[in-house]
Amino acid sequence: MTETSRRVLVTGADTFWGARILRALEGDAAIEMLLGLTSSAAAGTFERARLVCTEPTYSALRGVVCSSQVDTVIHPAMIVGSVHASGHEIHEANVISTMNLLAAAGTSGSSVRHLVVKSSSLVYGSTREDPATFSEETPRSDVPRTDVERSLVEAEGLVDDFAHDNPSATVALLRVADVLGAHIVTSITKNLSRPMCPCVGGFDPLVQFVHEDDVVRAVELATRHRLAGTFNVAGPGRLPWSEVAAICKTRRLPLPPVRPALAMAPLARLGIFDFPPELDALLRYGRGMDTSRLVAAGFEYRYTSVGAVQSFAHRLLHPARSARAPLSAGTAPPPRPRSRGTPAPGRRRGPRREP
Amino acid sequence: MIAESPRLSDVDEWGRSERIRALARRVYAPVYSHWFRVEWEGLDKIPTAGGALLVGNHAGAIPSDAPVIMHGVETELGRRVYGLADYFFRGLPVVGTLWSRAGGVPARPDNAYRLLHEHQELALVFPEGEKGPSKPYAKRYQLQRFGRGGFVEIAMTAGVPVVPIAVVGSEETMPLLWQIPQLARVLRIPYFPVTANMVLMGPLGLAVPFPAKFRLRVLDPVTFDVEPGRERYPKSEVLEESERIRASMQHALDDMLRRRRSVWFG
């Protein structure tokens, strides 16, 4: 771009987002060196990016940061769903890893000048007291009660501290809404791909989604333009959960409003549905975000919230990825993937950890 | 932007659905015109374009004033009205969803600001809050404290006028005789009323208001001579304006009560 070439480090090369972002940045000619941190041998192969094996919590990163002289660190590896990770694992992955990463980035001798962190809209929470729309400045209404929310709030605090301690560095914090797309697997995508999806009886909350491609493009933009500040990343507009289910042609299975997780426990145990505590709150009160700040910074969304759901549903209902057949009304949808182990044809399987 | 198929519902970002709202109006129309026989005075003072904060007096144990004002303005002026109310409704299964689809929005300053300033809509708020409907019948038509003047501050920030509406008839639809605080605590609701309707009709009294004659008077819109968009305004200014609006509404109520010949026939 305008300045000299960049040296970029991306965390979590073995996670969904780390790999996606590395692949996207490989095409960027302005990047001279691209490093991916991985803690397992399971990471995929990359054309240009070099992988650096580290310990999962990124302790002892100082040497890597200093010797490689990276100027940009992208941290997309935080866990934003609590189904496949215990509270302890989430804490290690989000708080401890971020702490170690930022300590290494801020150490003397480090040449890190730009930091991009992918956080989640979960930091806003979801309660009945919430405003219809969260702007980046709106505080959450309650104290975080779930492990994943608590750890993300804490990690964002660490990012704030880093920005405070390194005033010369630009720090972009991206708060990403619930993601849908062709490849990502989350509790929500899993539930929506069943013939029935859970909802909390009597509630039909407004939810907001962002397409996975837009998330990758937002990270790219934040990196390229060296954005500083907090940005919501969420497709414009929002829609009721009933409409989401209708677009995905799945019926809603109402759970009792009192302790729905308890009613869901057997089905969740069987692996048919995911019902993490953060989903309970979302399916009651929903969450909406102001998307104007990132747009003002030069971002153009390719998908609205509704568009993201429709794109996801299209892939779900037409897994063969043949010619774009219109969504046929009145005919039974094709069989859906039944178990976690067998991804639908045409769907690459995201790593287990994300999100 | 990738092209999209048409939406499957018409729920907007506030949770309001025009289809459900139209259905609600159709159901409510006979109540409005035959049960309460609503009559307006000065309806033309409500702006036909741009945001405005409608402010009313709140009364009757389960208040009918909110649906009456929303129904009246929407049918007579053809403008949407969003009703700001306690977020307590949002926590109720079924009721909360219907409330939201029918135009209810949790009363929060940021919600009100977006509605009034960014969307230039009409929003209805009752500054007395629950203190209005939960007061005993003996205190009818005595305006309670107008909160902390938040409604004035919102209108100032959003740069929109406040349009006060004095409502007569609402107090008699459901006279509150007693409260049962213990039951309210157990049910986690703001107050549990025992109304004259319940004494006469039993549990049905919760749903059926008395057919009092409704008269509404729209007062002159109040604009504020302050620069909009500020986060905070001097409390003295805010409370002064709030008190002035409250006094003008109380004055209008007293005048309307003096002219009223009968509770039931107006």
Side-chain angles (χ1 to χ4, degrees):
Chain A
M1 295 305 293
T2 47
E3 281 176 50
T4 52
S5 52
R6 319 253 314 247
R7 304 165 78 85
V8 179
L9 175 83
V10 181
T11 64
D14 51 344
T15 65
F16 177 84
W17 289 114
R20 279 293 299 263
I21 289 159
L22 277 171
R23 292 213 167 81
L25 293 177
E26 278 180 330
D28 191 337
I31 294 172
E32 173 201 345
M33 187 187 72
L34 193 55
L35 287 182
L37 294 183
T38 168
S39 55
S40 70
T45 49
F46 297 92
E47 278 172 30
R48 268 181 66 203
R50 281 193 290 145
L51 296 186
V52 179
C53 248
T54 60
E55 202 258 333
T57 51
Y58 300 144
S59 56
L61 256 193
R62 223 179 118 183
V64 177
V65 168
C66 292
S67 63
S68 61
Q69 290 290 300
V70 292
D71 54 54
T72 305
V73 170
I74 303 175
H75 183 38
M78 287 205 277
I79 296 178
V80 297
S82 63
V83 170
H84 299 299
S86 68
H88 175 72
E89 285 166 343
I90 291 170
H91 179 77
E92 293 286 310
N94 290 359
V95 182
I96 305 301
S97 302
T98 305
M99 179 183 78
N100 287 333
L101 177 74
L102 297 181
T107 188
S108 64
S110 147
S111 47
V112 174
R113 293 291 166 266
H114 314 291
L115 175 69
V116 179
V117 177
K118 177 188 160 291
S119 178
S120 161
S121 58
L122 282 171
V123 296
Y124 294 124
S126 185
T127 72
R128 61 180 189 163
E129 286 116 283
D130 285 345
T133 306
F134 278 101
S135 80
E136 287 82 351
E137 263 68 52
T138 319
R140 59 178 291 148
S141 309
D142 62 344
V143 290
R145 284 175 217 286
T146 64
D147 290 326
V148 65
E149 287 177 37
R150 207 175 299 127
S151 72
L152 286 168
V153 168
E154 209 171 319
E156 284 203 358
L158 295 170
V159 175
D160 278 350
D161 291 347
F162 178 84
H164 190 76
D165 296 341
N166 300 274
S168 63
T170 63
V171 177
L173 182 63
L174 305 180
R175 291 194 180 133
V176 177
D178 290 301
V179 186
L180 292 178
H183 305 113
I184 190 160
V185 179
T186 69
S187 300
I188 289 176
T189 64
K190 181 172 167 179
N191 291 340
L192 287 176
S193 59
R194 307 289 184 210
M196 292 184 105
C197 74
C199 73
V200 180
F203 289 91
D204 190 13
L206 296 174
V207 284
Q208 195 163 358
F209 292 103
V210 62
H211 195 277
E212 58 184 38
D213 294 350
D214 276 339
V215 178
V216 175
R217 290 173 57 246
V219 172
E220 278 184 273
L221 179 100
T223 309
R224 202 168 299 150
H225 293 332
R226 302 175 168 88
L227 293 188
T230 306
F231 298 89
N232 287 337
V233 184
R238 60 201 71 140
L239 66 172
W241 183 248
S242 56
E243 191 178 346
V244 176
I247 295 172
C248 296
K249 298 209 192 298
T250 164
R251 260 174 224 284
R252 280 180 302 154
L253 172 68
L255 304 174
V258 181
R259 305 288 300 275
L262 202 64
M264 197 37 129
L267 291 170
R269 190 83 189 140
L270 288 170
I272 297 169
F273 293 114
D274 279 352
F275 204 74
E278 62 270 15
L279 196 58
D280 181 350
L282 186 76
L283 292 184
R284 280 169 203 269
Y285 307 118
R287 191 184 302 120
M289 276 146 287
D290 189 337
T291 58
S292 57
R293 191 185 283 182
L294 190 63
V295 172
F299 188 70
E300 277 179 40
Y301 283 97
R302 287 219 180 118
Y303 296 85
T304 62
S305 225
V306 176
V309 179
Q310 289 176 351
S311 157
F312 167 73
H314 187 81
R315 275 297 181 98
L316 189 70
L317 303 171
H318 306 274
R321 199 79 200 112
S322 53
R324 285 177 68 92
L327 296 182
S328 51
T331 55
R336 300 183 167 105
R338 285 276 152 185
S339 77
R340 206 165 60 222
T342 50
R347 287 224 251 160
R348 225 181 328 146
R349 182 162 156 232
R352 172 75 47 89
R353 188 170 152 193
E354 172 54 44
Chain B
M1 194 81 79
I2 304 284
E4 287 170 18
S5 323
R7 288 275 306 267
L8 297 181
S9 82
D10 69 337
V11 177
D12 73 3
E13 68 174 275
W14 301 101
R16 177 184 169 117
S17 156
E18 288 312 319
R19 255 196 311 247
I20 291 182
R21 189 66 211 138
L23 182 73
R25 277 197 299 270
R26 215 163 58 224
V27 172
Y28 202 68
V31 180
Y32 179 87
S33 37
H34 299 301
W35 194 257
F36 292 137
R37 293 145 292 136
V38 180
E39 270 180 58
W40 287 82
E41 196 181 317
L43 199 57
D44 53 317
K45 289 177 185 162
I46 296 175
T48 48
L53 187 60
L54 311 181
V55 165
N57 53 307
H58 210 17
I62 299 172
S64 291
D65 38 25
V68 162
I69 293 175
M70 287 173 74
H71 183 95
V73 174
E74 290 188 355
T75 49
E76 307 274 351
L77 298 183
R79 279 201 73 177
R80 279 196 294 268
V81 183
Y82 289 83
L84 299 174
D86 197 286
Y87 58 74
F88 148 77
F89 289 102
R90 197 176 169 196
L92 302 176
V94 185
V95 176
T97 305
L98 287 174
W99 171 72
S100 162
R101 295 292 173 273
V105 171
R108 279 190 54 124
D110 32 10
N111 282 348
Y113 177 78
R114 266 177 217 280
L115 270 172
L116 295 169
H117 182 80
E118 287 175 18
H119 300 203
Q120 295 285 309
E121 298 280 2
L122 294 177
L124 168 66
V125 72
F126 298 98
E128 293 170 276
E130 64 172 72
K131 292 188 298 303
S134 67
K135 67 181 186 292
Y137 185 64
K139 290 191 177 175
R140 61 191 176 277
Y141 300 116
Q142 294 173 23
L143 286 175
Q144 302 297 297
R145 178 164 58 83
F146 268 19
R148 283 162 282 175
F151 74 104
V152 169
E153 209 157 6
I154 286 163
M156 284 177 165
T157 317
V160 300
V162 164
V163 184
I165 301 174
V167 187
V168 165
S170 49
E171 294 276 16
E172 288 83 7
T173 58
M174 247 188 222
L176 187 138
L177 306 178
W178 297 284
Q179 281 195 39
I180 310 180
Q182 293 84 353
L183 211 53
R185 244 192 323 270
V186 171
L187 295 173
R188 291 186 192 175
I189 53 178
Y191 58 94
F192 187 93
V194 177
T195 63
N197 312 51
M198 287 158 79
V199 170
L200 288 178
M201 297 182 260
L204 199 64
L206 272 174
V208 182
F210 293 137
K213 166 85 177 174
F214 261 77
R215 282 190 193 279
L216 297 97
R217 184 185 288 178
V218 184
L219 311 184
D220 289 326
V222 183
T223 51
F224 306 104
D225 192 20
V226 293
E227 176 201 1
R230 290 226 306 268
E231 205 140 285
R232 224 168 51 77
Y233 291 88
K235 247 326 176 228
S236 57
E237 213 170 313
V238 169
L239 290 177
E240 205 174 294
E241 293 286 1
S242 160
E243 198 44 51
R244 197 174 302 155
I245 292 167
R246 184 170 172 270
S248 73
M249 286 171 68
Q250 187 66 64
H251 182 79
L253 284 173
D254 294 342
D255 181 56
M256 289 161 82
L257 289 173
R258 249 195 319 275
R259 288 160 192 265
R260 182 164 75 162
R261 295 279 159 263
S262 147
V263 168
W264 314 112
F265 304 104

